[in-house]
Amino acid sequence: MTSMTIKLRLSDNWVKSEGEVQSRSARDYRRLLLSFLEKKEGDIRLVTDQCSDSSVELELQCIFLTADRCRQLADKAALQMGYLTRTRDDTLERDSRRVLLYRVEERQPDPDALQDDDLRYEVLRDVEKLIGAGEFKAFARELCRMRPWVYQAGAEDVLYAQRPLLAIGPGCGLDKCLSLLRELLCSCGLPLEEEECLQLRLEPPEDGRDRTPLQTALQQLSRLSGCVVCIDLSAWISHTGEPRFVEFLRRSARLMNHCYTVFRVPYLDQGTLRRIESDLSTLCFVRRIEFPPLTGEEMVQAASAMLQERGLSMDGQAAALFGQRIMREKSSGSFSGFNTIRRVVSEMVYLKLRALSDGADTPREVITGADVSAFDQDGGQDLTGEEMLEQMVGLDELKIQLREILDGISMHRQLGVGSGLPFSLHMCFRGNPGTGKTSAARAVARILRERGVLSVGNFYEINARELCGASIGETYPKTADICRSAYGSVLFIDEAYSLYSGDEGTRDFGREALSTLVSEMENNSSQLVVILAGYPKEMDTMFRGNSGLRSRITWTLDFPNYTASELCEIFRRMVQPPFWYGEEFADRLQAYFESIPYTGIGGAEDPAGRQFGNARVARNLYERLLAKAGTRCKLAGGVGDRVELTLVDLETLLEEKQFSCLSSEKSNKRAIGFGF
């Protein structure tokens, strides 16, 4: 419970201001404050109440409201009345203007003195501790506030008749919410005998006439009484308007007179949720309660709470790495809400303990970024963003464009125009495989973080099709969730063109993902940078077919294929001591890269097509040469101080199909024999 003490005195110069008598009195403030508290679904107990036109002394017990919320409402009421506020209880000066003194503190009730109402408040306190779940919390407060009115009217059957429709994703706390809901209903006087909440999942139908899952569910429901039962409709999302399902609702309503029934579906797009709610409302009194996916801040809050249970906390760098790890879980499709957060937190604790056992000089109670460096998707890169960009081979025109963008941001910051993004930074990176699109995007993210342009500055990389759901209604929340997690950071979407289908008659979830992405790019351009990457031809086709997307991309940067000299330079940078190669090796490598026919940034004029991987070809060649060198050293009986990459190994590799198919050398060789 929150205890709130209010003191108000009106001095002489408050009564008259500029020759006019003020019409508002201390009573007006009392009425306004109590109105604010009640509108916020609080339950208020007046311990002392002394009020006149010139003074107010109140001592309140505010149920359901935290101390911070009480302070906010007191300040809001004071501001509307024109009072100044001070939170310390000092003496009012004679010449002070409109001044309000108040003190707010939270007090734990005595467990031995708890009454029925107090038990209900204790359950509600547990509800308020949930991360997110704003609509569920409001619903719980509503039940508590209505409780005396329901029983005075003898309308307990109304509580049974209401069917909450919970739109909640997997791992987002369904079990916890059902348990708290049962405790809350019991504390409100609803006779529920069973302690466990039953969850009943309707199996999917085999065909359009199959009623077996519904009949099985009815048989189970007929045996229930005095419990909370949650019916999972996930497999029937597309069938809630069919006659067989309507009949199921009608028959189940007759069976559930003495059970509190809850429906559950995944968190879906608003259109699908409205349709399901409308279908259920034909026979049920439905109350939709949505559980939006946790924001990045809420996930960090949940992780911090789990760590606090172990007497631990995490610093800002560790929190950022935690966010990166969670995004990778989401993009891989393995994210399951609090279950994943709990698993990642356990891994963080393990890494912390391992660091301490290895003698790391870090605080015992704080998990640092160094403790969880294994979460760093950049592999512990120590370079600055500028250094990362500068070390990229070639791409001179691209570097000039990026520097112009960054210079524009710096100018806005120096002029004090704003602290966030001065203009939309959504970008399109067009280029063939291996041209450095991902590396450049990672460098941009790091630069924006180092310059304080982005509030978080993480780099999230996903494949475009990972935005799509597996069934109707899942794509919108999945795409919105990924975008929401990337607020304050850079979201890099590879193969973005795969979301676009030119045939509008097809049911492709990519179109829905693209539409949601466009909306997020428009509405959150000040806190989100989206970089779309893909092949030039397909990206151009996507933009021609989606003008809304095209208009939201401010910068289009082309990544040309590497030249032969640039590929040789990339290979040279990979070869670090003790490895080395001679001049003949270098000449042969140069000749091979020059034999690959490619021009421009790829497309119809690119004879090598998509088989040419640019820098990836150089990397694959280098890794294969290391393997051959290892075999050679083993046969020679050992490894010396230096290991040579030989011309013989290179020639052998270039004859293999993986590398020979890219070169024009094979087609230029003279035919043997008759030349047929």
Side-chain angles (χ1 to χ4, degrees), residues 229-248:
V229 57
C230 177
I231 303 177
D232 193 330
L233 308 179
S234 299
W236 286 76
I237 289 173
S238 303
H239 310 285
T240 54
E242 297 177 0
R244 54 180 173 169
F245 190 82
V246 174
E247 177 62 22
F248 165 76

Side-chain angles (χ1 to χ4, degrees), residues 131-133 172 292-296 298-299 302 330 337-338 341 481 484-485:
I131 306 296
C172 292
L294 298 176
T295 64
E298 288 172 339
M299 284 187 285
K330 287 185 176 182
F338 289 108
I341 295 174
D481 182 26
R484 188 181 297 111
S485 299

Side-chain angles (χ1 to χ4, degrees), residues 335-378:
F335 183 75
S336 58
F338 289 108
N339 295 331
T340 299
I341 295 174
R342 189 172 292 106
R343 172 167 55 84
V344 174
V345 166
S346 297
E347 188 174 349
M348 294 175 72
V349 174
Y350 179 86
L351 292 173
K352 175 65 178 179
L353 295 176
R354 188 176 70 180
L356 291 174
S357 68
D358 292 340
D361 185 17
T362 59
R364 294 179 62 89
E365 297 80 14
V366 181
I367 296 179
T368 66
D371 296 328
V372 293
S373 58
F375 287 0
D376 190 354
Q377 64 179 0
D378 292 338

Side-chain angles (χ1 to χ4, degrees), residues 459-476:
F459 176 75
Y460 298 130
E461 177 186 358
I462 66 169
N463 186 278
R465 296 304 298 185
E466 293 167 0
L467 298 173
C468 301
S471 59
I472 295 174
E474 293 183 3
T475 297
Y476 163 76

Side-chain angles (χ1 to χ4, degrees), residues 394-426:
L395 306 177
D396 294 333
E397 292 185 6
L398 172 70
K399 292 176 183 177
I400 293 174
Q401 288 178 293
L402 287 177
R403 289 195 178 96
E404 288 177 351
I405 296 171
L406 297 171
D407 289 343
I409 295 174
S410 297
M411 178 187 67
H412 278 75
R413 299 296 298 276
Q414 292 173 6
L415 294 174
V417 176
S419 59
L421 296 175
F423 40 73
S424 173
L425 284 181
H426 302 315

Side-chain angles (χ1 to χ4, degrees), residues 19-215:
E20 295 182 3
V21 178
Q22 299 290 335
S23 60
R24 291 181 175 178
S25 66
R27 297 181 189 272
D28 295 321
Y29 175 78
R30 175 187 177 280
R31 285 193 293 268
L32 185 62
L33 174 63
L34 295 181
S35 173
F36 279 170
L37 294 172
E38 290 170 351
K39 284 181 180 179
K40 296 303 176 181
E41 300 178 345
D43 189 358
I44 302 173
R45 300 177 179 180
L46 293 177
V47 180
T48 60
D49 183 3
Q50 299 178 6
C51 182
S52 66
D53 289 338
S54 60
S55 68
V56 168
E57 290 191 11
L58 293 175
E59 184 178 350
L60 311 172
Q61 284 186 345
C62 303
I63 317 299
F64 318 148
L65 293 176
T66 64
D68 287 341
R69 191 57 179 151
C70 286
R71 294 187 187 99
Q72 292 175 5
L73 295 174
D75 287 341
K76 181 179 178 181
L79 181 63
Q80 186 162 327
M81 294 290 295
Y83 299 150
L84 301 177
T85 62
R86 286 183 288 183
T87 56
R88 63 183 187 275
D89 190 5
D90 55 3
T91 304
L92 282 171
E93 300 161 355
R94 182 66 182 171
D95 60 348
S96 62
R97 294 176 60 240
R98 296 158 266 182
V99 179
L100 166 72
L101 302 180
Y102 66 85
R103 176 182 295 165
V104 182
E105 58 184 357
E106 290 186 331
R107 297 177 178 176
Q108 294 293 336
D110 183 2
D112 297 330
L114 289 177
Q115 304 297 321
D116 291 341
D117 285 349
D118 296 319
L119 291 171
R120 187 166 73 255
Y121 304 148
E122 288 301 298
V123 176
L124 194 60
R125 184 183 297 275
D126 292 336
V127 172
E128 295 291 348
K129 292 179 181 178
L130 295 174
I131 306 296
E135 291 189 9
F136 181 75
K137 293 176 182 177
F139 176 62
R141 298 188 202 106
E142 181 181 292
L143 286 179
C144 287
R145 192 178 71 252
M146 290 178 58
R147 186 252 187 190
W149 298 92
V150 169
Y151 286 95
Q152 286 179 17
E156 293 87 344
D157 58 313
V158 173
L159 293 181
Y160 276 118
Q162 184 171 227
R163 304 283 191 260
L165 172 62
L166 306 184
I168 182 170
C172 292
L174 176 62
D175 293 345
K176 180 68 173 178
C177 289
L178 290 177
S179 177
L180 289 172
L181 180 58
R182 182 201 168 277
E183 293 181 21
L184 194 60
L185 292 170
C186 289
S187 68
C188 289
L190 207 62
L192 297 173
E193 301 171 358
E194 297 294 333
E195 295 184 0
E196 298 295 329
C197 299
L198 176 66
Q199 296 189 42
L200 178 61
R201 177 180 175 83
L202 296 182
E203 296 298 325
E206 294 183 1
D207 53 50
R209 296 183 178 181
D210 184 19
R211 298 173 181 264
T212 304
L214 301 176
Q215 294 171 349

Side-chain angles (χ1 to χ4, degrees), residues 22 77 79 103 134 152 158-159 163 265 313 382 387 399 428 482 520 629 648 652 663:
Q22 299 290 335
L79 181 63
R103 176 182 295 165
Q152 286 179 17
V158 173
L159 293 181
R163 304 283 191 260
V265 294
S313 63
D382 294 329
E387 292 171 341
K399 292 176 183 177
C428 171
I482 289 177
E520 287 286 343
V648 174
T652 303
S663 175

